[in-house]
Amino acid sequence: MTSAASLVRLPMYQQLNALLRELLDSGAYPGDQQFLTERQIVERFGVSRPTANKALAALVGEGRLDVRKGIGTFVRGRRLDYDIRSLVSFTRKAEQAGRRPSTKVIEFEPQPAEEAGPGVTAALSLSAAEPVYAMVRLRLADNEPVILERRWVPVRLCRGLTRKDLKGSIYSLWVEKYRLPITEADQVIRAVNLSKNDAHLLGVRGGAAGFLVSATGYSRGAALWYEQTLYRGDSYEFHHHRPAAGRLRQLPASGTYA
Amino acid sequence: MTSAASLVRLPMYQQLNALLRELLDSGAYPGDQQFLTERQIVERFGVSRPTANKALAALVGEGRLDVRKGIGTFVRGRRLDYDIRSLVSFTRKAEQAGRRPSTKVIEFEPQPAEEAGPGVTAALSLSAAEPVYAMVRLRLADNEPVILERRWVPVRLCRGLTRKDLKGSIYSLWVEKYRLPITEADQVIRAVNLSKNDAHLLGVRGGAAGFLVSATGYSRGAALWYEQTLYRGDSYEFHHHRPAAGRLRQLPASGTYA
DNA sequence: CATGACAGGTGGCTAAGCCACCGTCTAACT
DNA sequence: AGTTAGACGGTGGCTTAGCCACCTGTCATG
């Protein structure tokens, strides 16, 4: 297959990948429709099946395509946005986007903090033996998984918490049932390639980009929860409005900056 | 190759991928060291070379490995963090992390706003013909690319801007040379798989996860710049501290939430 | 000391074939 | 008429074998 004029001679699988991406971007294959099969790619572009497979695999890894063994390759798509500034619940946000929210509780169990790992123990300032509730929830919009939430909360702050409680908004639960106002939260947001297991739960392919949000939430200065939550990269974007006033003055009046 | 007991029989390339990931996570191959070759994987795990290649390719796509044709497969790694709350310059942040910052100006040219695309025209509220400076900068830490910045600024707000100016901090330039204090910025942050071209510039493989930050910056209410900036996912994480007070009160007193 | 050739190791790629999964369609049985 | 089972075709997964081009290191020659 002749390559387009380019300064660098790219490997064939990368050139093919670019061509397939253009096909996807062109809209010729709308979301959920079947994409070209490996054999069709072989015929159309004159490459071998392993090369076609490798080019497709990269698009699968990006979350653009979905491969089903014995059936075919399908196009994926659609997006929610996450307002980083507020604690607007997932349900509300999904509804605002015109989508139907739901929640699957995958795991819910009390365990000693040490079982949850040093990250949890440190974030919540707990002794090793203190019990926490560990929960894993899958949040869905229109029956499509979009968030995989792992959260830990000290049992002593939420006694009597039940699996059923987790079907609803945990934020309003804290406020209304436990009288614990959420006053602040610290978040770390990373871009990650989703692992196979997490990707499977989220209905995307392993390696697709997603956000990993590690956060500690506080109520009047006391750590209330710690979470490790994955957001599908193809379904979420973060919005941030940032006033600059106080920070800007910290810049030195002179000196070199990049 | 026999599979570990699992509920779902995963394809061989995915099982192999998990095994290779465990090898990476174990620390047996430190950063920059050569990883197993395809032929070594064939010998050790009893799979075919195309299967070994596919398993490796997924790790390459995640940014864990770096493939060099004719040379081998190498392990990657190291991380900066980005404080989302402040306009601390890249240089300062890199220095605080004990790394040497530098900047490569890849492109710098004036162009009519319409050439920059509707996103730029809209974000900066410009007429189609109004000239903007378009710039592409690569930010490096210890000679390793970590940020790929694309930015547009109206010419009329920065007359006389030169390519040389861009070697330094553009924020301090605005303040000191143009007397334009930065007062606020709006950001959208997405997790994306880097395209081949961008990944190449950033020294990672196509498909590796990264942050795409789309932002509009303001000076006293007037749009000053628009940017589309890529942060390497393996080198950056975002930190956010979020007071909850105002927003929390917006939740209704009753009603179901998830 | 520098340069060029060669060998060996690397990933890229092809071809051919087979396997197992999956869905659809048809025929047979109830 | 409805249900079930089997066949068939299409799909991705995987193997085997071999060759190509890139890259580096070593050695010989000028």
Side-chain angles (χ1 to χ4, degrees), chain A residues 11-13 46-51 54 69-71:
Chain A
M12 190 64 71
Y13 76 89
V47 296
S48 67
R49 272 197 58 219
T51 298
K54 185 167 179 176
K69 174 176 170 152
I71 304 185

Side-chain angles (χ1 to χ4, degrees), chain A residues 110-122 124 126-132 152:
Chain A
Q111 63 186 189
E114 64 190 341
E115 257 184 55
V120 174
T121 308
L124 295 178
L126 302 176
S127 67
E130 177 158 0
V132 297
W152 297 265

